[in-house]
Amino acid sequence: MRQSALSATLILLFTVLAGCSSKGPEPAGTAPASSAKPQQASTIAIDLAIPIEPLARQVNAQIPLVIERLDDFEMDESGRFGVKYRIHRDQIRMGMRGSLLRSTTTFRYGLTGCARTRTGLRSATYTMWPCVSCGMSEAPREAAAVLDTTISVSRDWRVRSVTTAQPVVLRDDCNVTLLNIDISRWKVAPFINDQLESTAAAIDTRIAADTTLHQQVASVWKSLTTPLEIAPRVWLSIAPEDLSLGTLSGEGPVVTTTLGLRARPSILIGNRPPEVQRPLPAAGGQQARSGLEVGFQTILPFPEAATLLESQFTRSASGSHPIRMSNVRMSSGRGGEVVFTADAAFDQPLGGRYDGPITLRGRPSFDPSTQTIVVADLDYRLEEPGLRTRIADLVIHGQFRERLAGAAKWPVGPRIEGLRRSLEAALNRSVNTNVQFSGRIDSVRMLDLRVENGRFVIPAVASGSLKVTLTGW
């Protein structure tokens, strides 16, 4: 089964944030997958659009466009008169008007009625005369027809409908009377009523037989309840809890509604978590707000963060006194501190060259205004200083600490913009032959930074919109 575009969106989101270095996650082992789940459920609102045109095309194919009898007369039951006629139906046009699906068409007709008259008083032969005509050798007459369909979704995610025909409007009545009988009413009105009854039945039958909505919702739900491996021993658990459907409505050729998905997405690191298949919940009437907003948190283990920090020092190793760091290792300290140990190499004014271990410590935090992870109150200690180095460090300690703090940062702004583009690309794709996803990501916001069990936990929110279009009923 192809994974849904919603799953692809979340996969890209977590992959960029959790797998942002060349190192793997944590060493393989036998420990079960672990995660830090959001305290509050996220609400994902998905705008659903179902085009009406395929339904209109199928209904038009079921109902005849033309009925005519021009070669001979169709006699009434008493045999007193006969008619020839031509009745043509325009295409049935369908469109939403609020919560109603309205179908309209125009019937164009003409007829000729003739009395059945003996050719003589004692003759056994008859002729069709006198005759009256309407809409045959002149512009056809018109009758307007309207049907209204009330649509809904049952609790098992199937579309239901009730279609009723409105009274026919004769825009220019024929008023052809023969033998005191209005033959236009005798022939045209029953035919139009039959056509409307057939059209109403075709609409309701076609909608009732369709299972597209149920199949697509079930497919999306199944993919969301299955853990997805997005990197070696890194699993995405979306953990959906509920799925609701808003009111069906629209204006014009599309039925619109909103799917509301409540979920607790999280990253799990370790062995594959057990698969828990939750049954598709019944469709509810809860109205979800429009748009896509996912509150989530991603996990950055210390080994990956150390690699990023080492890369950051490498990029900043320029100028007259570059600082080089290698073999960076991280661990948790007291009071929310993070401890960095590394091999350092730099030229120290007054103290000469230092090439040996260094220990840094400070409290990491996230600065939303600059979209940067920083280490506040950073301080350091040289582990193997000589006498000259110790003396020099007493003089320049504050200045050197500022230089280290300036390099100990993780600018994530460019990655967030790249992520936004990647997410937007994932939201614009075909899931299968009947379902098209289109959407956008307006923003990805990193909110905070926490240190838990040897890893950074970064809450974030992705905001935008997602539209699902069904190209077939």
Side-chain angles (χ1 to χ4, degrees), residues 115-192:
R116 185 171 178 264
T117 306
R118 290 180 183 271
T119 56
L121 292 178
R122 299 179 181 277
S123 174
T125 62
Y126 294 85
T127 184
M128 300 302 290
W129 187 88
C131 298
V132 292
S133 178
C134 171
M136 295 296 280
S137 58
E138 59 184 359
R141 303 302 171 92
E142 296 183 355
V146 176
L147 301 98
D148 283 334
T149 302
T150 302
I151 56 178
S152 61
V153 176
S154 62
R155 290 182 62 80
D156 61 353
W157 297 95
R158 284 176 168 80
V159 181
R160 298 289 183 257
S161 67
V162 176
T163 302
T164 56
Q166 302 299 318
V168 175
V169 177
L170 299 176
R171 292 173 178 164
D172 43 0
D173 199 353
C174 222
N175 292 324
V176 175
T177 302
L178 186 68
L179 303 177
N180 296 320
I181 297 174
D182 187 344
I183 61 173
S184 62
R185 293 287 181 181
W186 172 75
K187 187 61 196 176
V188 176
F191 172 78
I192 293 178

Side-chain angles (χ1 to χ4, degrees), residues 45-68:
I46 306 174
D47 292 339
L48 183 67
I50 307 174
I52 298 169
E53 191 275 333
L55 174 64
R57 184 173 60 250
Q58 292 168 359
V59 171
N60 272 295
Q62 290 182 242
I63 310 300
L65 280 172
V66 179
I67 181 171
E68 61 183 16

Side-chain angles (χ1 to χ4, degrees), residues 18 49 96 98 156 163 186 200 210 242 306 317 338 370 380 422 446 453:
M96 291 298 298
D156 61 353
T163 302
W186 172 75
D210 179 74
D242 193 18
V338 175
T370 61
Y380 71 94
S422 297
M446 314 291 285
N453 301 321

Side-chain angles (χ1 to χ4, degrees), residues 248-267:
L248 296 172
S249 63
E251 291 296 331
V254 176
V255 183
T256 60
T257 187
T258 301
L259 286 175
L261 175 71
R262 290 196 311 124
R264 296 180 187 270
S266 62
I267 289 291

